Amino acid sequence: MSHVDSDLIVTGLCKEYVTAAGSLTVLKCVDLSLTRGDALAITGPSGSGKSSLLFVLGGLERPTQGAVRLRGRDVFAATETELAAWRQESVGFVFQEHHLLPQCTVLENVLIPRLAGSGTTAEDVSRATKLLERVGLRERLEHRPAQLSGGERQRVAVCRALINQPALLLADEPTGSLDRENADAIGGLLLELSRDLGSVLICVTHSSELAARFPRRAELRDARLTSL
Ligand code: ADP
Ligand code: MG
């Protein structure tokens, strides 16, 4: 794969929400370029458009203007169906809340993103198990989410986001509901695992401690993204 193909390239990204109350511009001309294994932390005031930026980068929202290219592919040139398939294959999301399915075991929760294709294989199970071992949950494979601590649940959510070895890993305040110790652990795992998989990691956070651990940092303010 060529160097150009391994990058996330964002050019002139604008996002405007049109509501009954009028229009609201949340992103103005955002440019960004990240290489495989890169990690960027985004900080900024509440309501500054951080979640909106992640939603657009992950193909959950279309931009008003501009383009996103991931590994050479023009993401928004796709139809809705193609976009959904691309998202499934190429993007992992970690949110502030874990959103695990309560009726499924830890192992099953991690395998959920594999169910969309032709069903899970022995290789999927082996990869999920290895990921869970890597985050220290080898003894918890058959537990249900309610039987885990908050930090453990978020570690499962990280494994679920990584099971498809996504080109792009997006985390929206992933440590926002955790105590200091668990937050540190989740931050470390996101950085370590995304680098090992060759994913681009973009993490929105309110924590200056977490942001400080990222090789690249940027701030979203007044709809503009500025490198720090
Ligand atoms: P942040 O994550 O930085 O707190 P958000 O991206 O969630 O900010 O929101 C930025 C602004 O856009 C907020 O003022 C919010 O109310 C508004 N907003 C978010 N989503 C929508 C939407 N779907 N429609 C209209 N306005 C929205
Ligand atoms: Mg947000």
Side-chain angles (χ1 to χ4, degrees):
M1 201 170 277
S2 77
H3 175 69
V4 166
D5 282 348
S6 52
D7 289 346
L8 172 72
I9 302 169
V10 176
T11 42
L13 205 66
C14 301
K15 179 68 185 174
E16 189 181 303
Y17 289 118
V18 181
T19 66
S23 75
L24 177 70
T25 300
V26 290
L27 300 173
K28 277 184 198 160
C29 272
V30 170
D31 294 319
L32 193 57
S33 173
L34 291 165
T35 308
R36 187 182 279 252
D38 257 353
L40 169 73
I42 297 178
T43 52
S46 178
S48 60
K50 303 181 299 298
S51 294
S52 301
L53 175 59
L54 292 193
F55 284 173
V56 175
L57 295 179
L60 289 165
E61 286 273 358
R62 282 181 184 268
T64 310
Q65 265 182 57
V68 174
R69 286 186 165 272
L70 185 68
R71 296 193 178 173
R73 177 165 171 162
D74 182 352
V75 170
F76 294 106
T79 64
E80 284 308 307
T81 314
E82 289 165 344
L83 193 59
W86 170 83
R87 202 164 51 229
Q88 176 80 23
E89 181 188 300
S90 308
V91 186
F93 281 100
V94 180
F95 299 98
Q96 181 170 351
E97 299 306 326
H98 54 81
H99 299 297
L100 299 176
L101 297 181
Q103 71 276 27
C104 293
T105 65
V106 161
L107 183 60
E108 286 164 351
N109 266 287
V110 174
L111 286 167
I112 283 165
R114 301 300 301 158
L115 296 173
S118 46
T120 58
T121 62
E123 198 193 324
D124 293 332
V125 174
S126 154
R127 192 160 68 230
T129 306
K130 282 204 189 93
L131 271 172
L132 285 162
E133 283 177 358
R134 180 89 186 265
V135 304
L137 294 176
R138 181 211 292 262
E139 311 298 334
R140 298 286 185 277
L141 301 186
E142 300 303 322
H143 278 54
R144 313 271 160 187
Q147 300 167 321
L148 301 176
S149 72
E152 288 171 339
R153 283 195 282 266
Q154 198 61 326
R155 280 186 264 157
V156 178
V158 168
C159 294
R160 182 188 49 191
L162 290 171
I163 189 68
N164 282 337
Q165 301 176 274
L168 181 58
L169 178 61
L170 301 172
D172 197 351
E173 304 190 29
T175 65
S177 305
L178 302 176
D179 59 34
R180 175 70 196 267
E181 197 178 324
N182 280 300
D184 284 352
I186 288 292
L189 284 171
L190 286 169
L191 283 161
E192 211 178 288
L193 294 173
S194 61
R195 193 184 50 222
D196 288 1
L197 288 173
S199 308
V200 166
L201 168 63
I202 300 179
C203 178
V204 163
T205 183
H206 280 302
S207 159
S208 48
E209 286 94 349
L210 179 57
R213 295 171 70 182
F214 278 65
R216 291 180 59 179
R217 291 177 293 279
E219 185 184 39
L220 196 59
R221 191 178 280 278
D222 301 328
R224 293 190 183 273
L225 189 72
T226 312
S227 286
L228 296 176

